[in-house]
Amino acid sequence: MEWFTERYNGSGLEIKVVRKIAEARSIQHIEVYETEFFGKMLVIDGKIQLTELDEVFYHEMIVHVPMMMHEAPRKVLVIGGGDGGTLREVLKHEVDEVVLVEIDRAVIDLSREYLKIDQGAFEDERVRIVIEDGLKYVERCEDRFDVIIVDSTDPVGVSDPLFDEKFFKNASKICDIICCQAQSPIVQKHLFIKLWKNAKAFEKRRVYLSYIPTYPLGYWAFIVAGQVDKFFEERFGKLKGKVKHYNPELHRAAFALPEWLKREIDVSG
Ligand code: SPD
């Protein structure tokens, strides 16, 4: 048995792996492992994207928080998310249409074959899959979406443009609410702050946090922007029983930020 190690800014996370199940080299290096404790694990360009054990912590928080802040989210755009976890959660709402824009078809193919966390979401008739760069899709998009969810990899490769000002400016013209995974506010503070500043294209922005054990230091940020004043908590009744992690208590608590983070946000404008 070997250890998989992900290092970041003078720290690291080690996961004991039993074997490598699959691998592909497309525009990214994609690996699927079987681990000793966390179940199957998806790694892209050396960074852990998900493990079976804690993927719901991430996918339920990146989806249900923004979806429950919109009065009636019927039309949703997911950018990235080729493993299908975000798609699976979006489909738990009363949506009419979900467009998934993934730049790398190989992520979808490997996830469908070896991970299967989508639980049939890719075959749902409400879903349309587009293989394209999310930045370009949003730039030329003439459609309008209630919610956009950016479920990207770290911005060191193909996801880099999704952290740019231009992306947020274009996105602000076509949606009511956008939600992005926003990295570790501790060991990847520069990336988090870059996103926070660029999300200024939206009139209102908010940060929320969630604990995701297999991401750098476990403390993970999300940025939600647009019409972000409301929480339609009464709709939770329809989700209850379908979710494992998210609930209204966690939703409210996720927006409670420590003083040091409030200060970071304030000073960066
Ligand atoms: N450092 C890992 C950040 C990964 C965020 N996206 C995960 C994709 C899971 N759908």
Side-chain angles (χ1 to χ4, degrees):
M1 259 196 280
E2 285 177 16
W3 290 89
F4 172 88
T5 308
E6 182 180 330
R7 295 200 174 85
Y8 30 82
N9 212 4
S11 61
L13 171 69
E14 287 207 307
I15 304 272
K16 210 170 195 180
V17 297
V18 179
R19 67 190 175 103
K20 190 184 276 191
I21 300 173
E23 183 170 21
R25 286 184 191 271
S26 52
I27 47 172
Q28 305 174 104
H29 182 200
I30 309 159
E31 297 163 283
V32 180
Y33 290 94
E34 182 187 330
T35 72
E36 187 181 68
F37 183 73
F38 289 88
K40 287 182 206 148
M41 173 169 83
L42 174 69
V43 175
I44 299 182
D45 290 339
K47 309 280 182 213
I48 297 170
Q49 299 302 309
L50 66 89
T51 75
E52 280 182 309
L53 186 104
D54 66 346
E55 59 90 5
V56 291
F57 295 29
Y58 173 85
H59 289 123
E60 292 192 10
M61 291 303 279
I62 197 173
V63 171
H64 303 309
V65 171
M67 293 293 277
M68 296 288 280
M69 293 171 93
H70 194 282
E71 190 174 9
R74 299 267 177 220
K75 197 164 165 170
V76 178
L77 172 63
V78 177
I79 298 182
D83 51 73
T86 290
L87 204 52
R88 177 196 72 210
E89 294 305 319
V90 170
L91 292 171
K92 291 178 181 170
H93 293 260
E94 288 176 351
V95 289
D96 298 328
E97 190 185 353
V98 190
V99 180
L100 180 118
V101 178
E102 166 63 61
I103 195 169
D104 190 349
R105 184 185 292 279
V107 178
I108 299 180
D109 292 345
L110 251 70
S111 301
R112 265 176 134 162
E113 188 168 354
Y114 298 103
L115 286 172
K116 302 185 198 308
I117 65 158
D118 64 290
Q119 293 170 3
F122 289 115
E123 282 81 42
D124 193 290
E125 57 184 18
R126 293 167 291 175
V127 173
R128 185 157 60 86
I129 297 168
V130 179
I131 304 298
E132 193 181 346
D133 178 345
L135 177 80
K136 289 196 183 125
Y137 181 89
V138 166
E139 198 168 29
R140 61 161 185 79
C141 186
E142 286 172 3
D143 259 359
R144 203 177 156 82
F145 294 90
D146 299 313
V147 177
I148 297 180
I149 298 170
V150 186
D151 179 13
S152 68
T153 53
D154 292 31
V156 284
V158 297
S159 292
D160 197 32
L162 299 177
F163 282 58
D164 279 355
E165 199 181 354
K166 189 173 162 194
F167 170 76
F168 283 97
K169 279 193 175 146
N170 290 329
S172 69
K173 295 176 195 149
I174 62 160
C175 72
D176 297 336
I177 293 180
I178 192 169
C179 183
C180 315
Q181 73 87 9
Q183 308 291 137
S184 161
I186 304 172
V187 282
Q188 296 165 322
K189 197 170 80 185
H190 61 295
L191 298 173
F192 165 75
I193 294 295
K194 179 177 172 182
L195 264 182
W196 175 251
K197 283 183 177 165
N198 290 342
K200 218 184 217 169
F202 288 81
E203 201 185 324
K204 290 177 191 155
R205 302 161 289 166
R206 295 179 74 185
V207 172
Y208 66 96
L209 300 166
S210 180
Y211 176 59
I212 299 154
T214 57
Y215 284 179
L217 299 191
Y219 197 59
W220 210 248
F222 299 84
I223 292 171
V224 63
Q227 295 168 21
V228 291
D229 298 323
K230 298 195 174 132
F231 174 27
F232 297 91
E233 186 179 343
E234 64 283 1
R235 289 212 316 270
F236 181 65
K238 290 187 178 158
L239 276 184
K240 205 170 159 64
K242 298 182 191 164
V243 285
K244 290 190 189 136
H245 185 82
Y246 174 88
N247 60 31
E249 295 90 324
L250 269 186
H251 180 118
R252 276 189 293 269
F255 287 96
L257 303 182
E259 280 306 293
W260 60 265
L261 188 52
K262 283 190 199 172
R263 227 170 285 134
E264 289 288 354
I265 290 169
D266 281 351
V267 297
S268 66

